[in-house]
């Protein structure tokens, strides 16, 4: 597995409507160019401890936080190129470091008890497995993305994410895209990614449209959905047990 890419940027998120997305697309014809990936379906497997330590810390909004995930563009097969990524955030600045491999090799590496990478990014991944006991696949998360970059500044990027789905079973990039929805129908997650500020044309549109930045974590929302589901299951199980006791007279 070889070194592939390093990113350093500020990411700002907004929840917008489909109509607002269409309005932005009209502006993009003057200022933005479609990314080489263009429209794609991004699939991720998030790694965490049995107690979901990484995502719980992330939701507490600390100064520093990190995540580990396995990513593919589209549904993978054994020979698909995928990325093992560490995503760190320190004082609002996002650092993403990743290495690439074939899907089968990446999974074998992540499942290995003895990791020994010869790259700097690989060593950081190995260290995460040493630091966080029990790291393993916890959540599959996918979404449809449209990506653009600035005509005058290729480092300035804007993405639209829709159909954000999660599941905590069948945790494979080869298993297809399905799961529970996070965003409500008709909503779009807008992410603005920049090494500097946001251009005036975009800040003007956001201000005039009264669109305000929000804190939105896909993995964080998936985890909260898991908690909510598990709570409902416990409540239903207790209700069933209570009904059984009542019917048998053992109450």
């Amino acid at each position: 597995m070889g070194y592939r890419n390093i990113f350093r940027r500020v990411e700002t998120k907004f929840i917008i409507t489909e109509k607002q997305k269409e309005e932005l697309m009209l502006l993009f014809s003057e200022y933005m160019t479609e990314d080489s990936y263009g429209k794609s379906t991004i699939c991720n497997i998030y790694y965490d401890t049995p107690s979901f330590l990484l995502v719980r810390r992330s939701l507490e909004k600390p100064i520093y936080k990190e995540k580990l995930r396995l990513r593919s563009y589209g549904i993978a097969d054994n020979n698909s190129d995928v990325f093992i990524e560490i995503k760190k955030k320190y004082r609002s600045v996002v650092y993403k470091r990743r290495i690439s491999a074939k899907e089968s090799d990446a999974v074998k590496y992540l499942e290995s008890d003895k990791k020994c990478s010869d790259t700097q990014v690989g060593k950081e991944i190995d260290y995460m497995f040493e630091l966080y006991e029990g790291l393993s696949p916890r959540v599959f998360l996918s979404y449809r993305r449209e990506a653009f970059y600035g005509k005058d500044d290729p480092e300035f990027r804007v993405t639209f994410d829709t159909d954000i789905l999660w599941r905590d079973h069948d945790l494979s990039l080869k298993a297809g895209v399905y799961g529970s929805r996070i965003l409500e129908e008709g909503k779009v997650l807008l992410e603005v990614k920049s090494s500097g500020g946001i251009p005036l044309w975009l800040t003007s549109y956001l201000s005039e449209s009264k669109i305000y930045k929000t804190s939105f974590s896909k993995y964080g929302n998936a985890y909260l959905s898991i908690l909510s589901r598990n709570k409902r299951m416990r409540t239903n199980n207790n209700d069933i047990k209570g009904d059984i006791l009542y019917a048998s007279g053992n109450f």
Side-chain angles (χ1 to χ4, degrees), residues 30-42:
E30 182 176 355
Y31 299 104
M32 306 293 289
T33 299
E34 188 175 55
D35 186 79
S36 57
Y37 278 105
K39 297 179 181 179
S40 61
T41 296
I42 298 179

Side-chain angles (χ1 to χ4, degrees), residues 99-112:
I99 56 178
S100 65
K102 299 300 182 184
E103 192 276 344
S104 57
D105 293 333
V107 170
K108 187 184 301 183
Y109 181 77
L110 291 169
E111 291 179 350
S112 171

Side-chain angles (χ1 to χ4, degrees), residues 230-246:
N230 292 348
K231 182 178 180 180
R232 290 195 305 271
M233 290 174 63
R234 286 194 299 269
T235 299
N236 291 339
N237 288 338
N238 288 336
D239 288 344
I240 291 171
K241 290 177 182 177
D243 291 341
I244 292 173
L245 288 171
Y246 183 82

